[in-house]
């Protein structure tokens, strides 16, 4: 299957704290897991991704970890700032053969960073 | 600087009146996608073009059609919009050798009266 479950649906933190969003996937053949940030009224923006041959990837204040055995991956944001407030979507890439493939998204997490 | 451009950003149409949304890209990517995103939900893939090959998702209603006259442009046609079609419509692109990495446009918000 191509199910992606994302938790929590909402997350509120104080500026400077860390935020963690977790996703679980079902397609064991998936090998690519991006995270998108969507601000109000805008399209999703790719912020970080990870492939199945690594367990962790970091880019400044954001990091993603992947546990292929357990089929879950997480987004970590440290030293949060008010401009980090947005909806965050995880996704998995599933290849179904030929030109048949798709990104399946989680339901999103609304992150609010309070000043 | 804009890489994936969608016009218009907001579109109001009447129930049953055909509407066309447009997407253009300056990335020269071979693959273009259309997603529907309803309020507080995840984007849902409608269909995509792999070069000129059209790939429809099984659960995309027949009411939704698409055209891709050239590499840069792709259109979403909604033949008879219903109230349930009000949503944000997102266009995305990717390279053929990196299909998983998709770049999204800003979206067109469609309102059906």
């Amino acid at each position: 299957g191509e199910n992606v479950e994302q938790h929590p649906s909402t997350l509120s933190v104080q500026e400077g704290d860390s935020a963690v969003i977790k996703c679980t996937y079902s397609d064991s053949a998936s090998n690519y897991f991006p995270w998108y940030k969507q601000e109000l009224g805008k399209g999703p923006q790719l912020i970080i991704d990870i492939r199945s041959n690594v367990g962790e990837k970091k880019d400044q204040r954001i990091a993603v970890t992947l546990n292929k055995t357990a089929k879950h991956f997480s987004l970590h944001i440290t030293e949060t700032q008010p401009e980090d407030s947005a909806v965050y979507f995880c996704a998995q890439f599933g290849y179904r053969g030929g030109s048949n493939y798709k990104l399946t998204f989680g339901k999103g997490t609304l992150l609010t960073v309070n000043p | 600087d804009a890489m994936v451009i969608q016009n218009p950003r907001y579109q109001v149409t009447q129930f049953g009146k055909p509407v066309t949304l447009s997407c253009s890209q300056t990335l020269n990517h071979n693959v273009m996608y259309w997603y529907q995103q309803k309020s507080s939900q995840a984007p849902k893939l409608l269909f995509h073009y792999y070069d000129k090959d059209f790939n429809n998702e099984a659960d995309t209603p027949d009411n939704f059609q698409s055209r891709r006259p050239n590499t840069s442009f792709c259109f979403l046609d909604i033949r008879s919009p219903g109230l349930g079609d009000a949503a944000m419509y997102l266009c995305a692109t990717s390279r053929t050798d990196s299909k998983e990495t998709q770049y999204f446009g800003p979206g067109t918000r469609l309102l059906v009266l």
Side-chain angles (χ1 to χ4, degrees):
Chain A
E2 300 167 337
N3 219 24
V4 179
E5 294 195 4
Q6 183 172 346
H7 298 281
S9 56
T10 61
L11 179 60
S12 181
V13 299
Q14 288 299 121
E15 183 176 0
D17 288 350
S18 295
V20 181
I21 303 170
K22 299 180 179 180
C23 287
T24 305
Y25 63 97
S26 57
D27 185 357
S28 57
S30 290
N31 60 3
Y32 176 77
F33 307 91
W35 284 90
Y36 285 86
K37 175 184 181 182
Q38 186 173 28
E39 296 175 324
L40 192 63
K42 298 184 179 180
Q45 178 189 7
L46 179 67
I47 56 171
I48 197 168
D49 54 16
I50 192 167
R51 297 185 186 274
S52 58
N53 57 346
V54 298
E56 184 174 0
K57 183 177 179 181
K58 191 173 182 181
D59 183 4
Q60 299 182 356
R61 295 188 297 109
I62 59 173
V64 56
T65 58
L66 171 65
N67 184 328
K68 276 217 80 174
T69 304
K71 293 188 202 171
H72 63 71
F73 56 112
S74 300
L75 177 71
H76 304 254
I77 307 174
T78 58
E79 300 172 31
T80 53
Q81 301 167 3
E83 49 265 40
D84 294 329
S85 298
V87 178
Y88 291 81
F89 290 98
C90 63
Q92 68 164 21
F93 179 75
Y95 186 61
R96 300 176 281 184
S99 60
N100 193 358
Y101 53 88
K102 70 186 285 187
L103 274 180
T104 301
F105 289 84
K107 291 189 174 181
T109 296
L110 174 61
L111 173 64
T112 303
V113 180
N114 302 301
Chain B
D1 290 325
M3 296 182 290
V4 183
I5 304 157
Q6 291 189 243
N7 286 305
R9 295 294 313 279
Y10 299 91
Q11 176 74 55
V12 181
T13 190
Q14 292 178 332
F15 183 93
K17 185 176 181 180
V19 65
T20 295
L21 310 182
S22 73
C23 176
S24 63
Q25 50 124 343
T26 59
L27 297 164
N28 204 31
H29 285 173
N30 284 1
V31 193
M32 295 186 77
Y33 310 79
W34 279 105
Y35 288 83
Q36 179 192 64
Q37 186 180 27
K38 295 190 174 180
S39 182
S40 301
Q41 295 186 21
K44 179 179 178 297
L45 182 65
L46 295 173
F47 28 58
H48 75 274
Y49 271 97
Y50 188 109
D51 287 327
K52 293 183 180 180
D53 292 333
F54 179 70
N55 297 271
N56 199 31
E57 288 296 298
D59 57 355
T60 298
D62 293 341
N63 198 25
F64 292 88
Q65 303 286 322
S66 186
R67 296 170 285 133
R68 190 179 185 187
N70 54 54
T71 300
S72 300
F73 284 86
C74 195
F75 300 99
L76 170 63
D77 301 308
I78 309 176
R79 293 192 297 187
S80 181
L83 298 179
D85 297 327
M88 173 82 91
Y89 289 89
L90 297 163
C91 174
T93 72
S94 70
R95 289 170 18 195
T96 48
D97 60 347
S98 183
K99 294 182 286 293
E100 64 277 12
T101 305
Q102 298 184 13
Y103 299 90
F104 284 81
T108 294
R109 182 162 298 282
L110 177 68
L111 181 62
V112 181
L113 300 178

